[in-house]
């Protein structure tokens, strides 16, 4: 299910326009990614796949990080 533009906008604002990814399998290691999120080139990742489209269940991720998630292409 697609996330609404309104939710994505709020997520972008919470993230301060930077990737919120903290996955250890990314090239940024155990730190927050913090790459800037370019418009149209980032994604809202569900912390719990199939979970609700609420800010608490979403992480703003740059395209590089999103490709590293196990659920990429499925959520
Ligand atoms: Zn990132
Ligand atoms: Zn990452």
């Amino acid at each position: 299910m697609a996330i609404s533009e309104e939710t994505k906008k709020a997520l972008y604002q919470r993230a301060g326009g930077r990737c919120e990814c903290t996955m250890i399998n990314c090239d940024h290691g155990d730190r927050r990614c913090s790459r800037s999120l370019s418009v149209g080139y980032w994604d809202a990742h569900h912390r719990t796949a199939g979970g609700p489209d609420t800010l608490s269940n979403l992480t703003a991720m740059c395209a590089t990080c999103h490709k590293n998630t196990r659920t990429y292409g499925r959520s």
Side-chain angles (χ1 to χ4, degrees):
M1 194 169 72
I3 296 156
S4 74
E5 282 305 310
E6 204 178 313
T7 304
K8 281 194 87 170
K9 210 166 162 185
L11 182 62
Y12 186 94
Q13 267 160 20
R14 186 192 71 186
R18 295 188 174 269
C19 181
E20 293 184 313
C21 174
T22 52
M23 291 194 304
I24 205 151
N25 60 322
C26 289
D27 58 7
H28 49 79
D30 57 3
R31 293 170 305 156
R32 182 178 156 174
C33 170
S34 291
R35 267 188 284 258
S36 54
L37 303 169
S38 334
V39 177
Y41 199 66
W42 67 279
D43 260 305
H45 175 66
H46 288 87
R47 290 175 202 264
T48 305
D53 292 343
T54 54
L55 287 188
S56 58
N57 190 44
L58 297 169
T59 307
M61 278 195 181
C62 67
T64 309
C65 288
H66 198 222
K67 279 180 190 143
N68 277 335
T69 66
R70 279 178 300 147
T71 53
Y72 180 68
R74 292 203 280 124
S75 66

